[in-house]
Amino acid sequence: GAVVSQHPSWVICKSGTSVKIECRSLDFQATTMFWYRQFPKQSLMLMATSNEGSKATYEQGVEKDKFLINHASLTLSTLTVTSAHPEDSSFYICSASSDTQYFGPGTRLTVL
Amino acid sequence: AQSVTQLDSHVSVSEGTPVLLRCNYSSSYSPSLFWYVQHPNKGLQLLLKYTSAATLVKGINGFEAEFKKSETSFHLTKPSAHMSDAAEYFCVVSDQESSASKIIFGSGTRLSIRP
């Protein structure tokens, strides 16, 4: 089946720094990728929809200037958490879309 | 607006006994419904999907689900639980036939299997 990777799998950073998370579709091209956030013991909440070559569409309540999304190619989308704070600590999951959404393994972000 | 409600946050069954994970949906459209499984440190995996064809859908690993419009339900079942089934399960709704577009996740049900 289709494989989606995320890098890094976990990251710890200091408050105020920026963190970039990569999402790659390894064996297929994805015009659309999605970014989700999952808090402990909770469900996945869609943050934004990323389309290759265009601006991302953010869900209500998600700060686009804080969570920068770039979808520069059909196999790569990046999420940058800018000026991270402890409340941004979470599990971030991406998916890449072809006939269905294929999910990455997630990135655990801890902001100290 | 669409939504899904997973009625149980945690289900515990003994190995070899049946599994029932409950899901109710709300949709203005004719919905597509999906079940995903999340194992620790692994990506979400699609178990099965309903897209207006047969109401009884068979998925991977022996799971199946039945779409009941009159009850607005899409419960997930398995006749005999295996230890490897222990995971988090999500019921998902979409207004598109595939999950390639925007989808809405339920709150999840954690399935535990007792030896």
Side-chain angles (χ1 to χ4, degrees):
Chain A
V3 179
V4 176
S5 69
Q6 281 185 242
H7 178 79
S9 55
W10 59 270
V11 57
I12 301 173
C13 69
K14 293 182 178 180
S15 187
T17 60
S18 294
V19 174
K20 179 185 284 188
I21 302 170
E22 292 185 349
C23 177
R24 293 182 185 274
S25 55
L26 297 185
D27 49 5
F28 67 101
Q29 293 183 330
T31 55
T32 303
M33 291 184 172
F34 299 87
W35 286 95
Y36 297 85
R37 184 173 181 175
Q38 185 180 29
F39 289 103
K41 300 187 187 301
Q42 294 189 28
S43 188
L44 280 74
M45 300 299 296
L46 180 64
M47 298 175 66
T49 303
S50 167
N51 291 299
E52 187 264 339
S54 64
K55 291 184 178 181
T57 302
Y58 291 81
E59 295 300 301
Q60 191 172 11
V62 177
E63 298 176 60
K64 61 180 181 180
D65 294 330
K66 181 167 188 60
F67 298 100
L68 300 178
I69 291 173
N70 183 276
H71 193 161
S73 77
L74 290 172
T75 59
L76 173 64
S77 176
T78 60
L79 168 68
T80 302
V81 183
T82 62
S83 186
H85 288 91
E87 58 267 28
D88 299 324
S89 298
S90 190
F91 195 54
Y92 292 88
I93 300 174
C94 75
S95 70
S97 183
S98 61
D99 58 317
T100 187
Q101 287 190 39
Y102 297 95
F103 289 83
T107 297
R108 186 162 303 283
L109 170 64
T110 302
V111 184
L112 301 176
Chain B
Q2 300 172 93
S3 66
V4 285
T5 301
Q6 291 184 243
L7 298 160
D8 307 294
S9 60
H10 182 212
V11 169
S12 179
V13 302
S14 297
E15 189 176 20
T17 64
V19 174
L20 170 64
L21 304 184
R22 298 183 294 167
C23 172
N24 286 95
Y25 70 91
S26 173
S27 177
S28 303
Y29 309 94
S30 182
S32 294
L33 293 156
F34 311 81
W35 276 97
Y36 280 86
V37 60
Q38 184 181 35
H39 286 96
N41 302 317
K42 288 188 177 181
L44 284 136
Q45 183 182 20
L46 179 65
L47 279 178
L48 51 80
K49 63 180 179 180
Y50 165 77
T51 55
S52 77
T55 56
L56 181 62
V57 182
K58 294 187 184 298
I60 61 172
N61 301 335
F63 284 95
E64 61 181 41
E66 186 171 8
F67 174 75
K68 292 187 177 180
K69 187 175 181 179
S70 61
E71 299 177 10
T72 61
S73 69
F74 190 58
H75 301 334
L76 182 70
T77 60
K78 182 173 181 177
S80 177
H82 192 272
M83 294 300 292
S84 62
D85 294 328
E88 189 84 18
Y89 291 79
F90 293 98
C91 184
V92 172
V93 66
S94 170
D95 62 356
Q96 304 290 327
E97 187 165 299
S98 81
S99 63
S101 57
K102 184 175 174 180
I103 56 178
I104 306 296
F105 280 80
S107 55
T109 299
R110 182 165 61 92
L111 176 62
S112 299
I113 311 297
R114 301 187 298 271

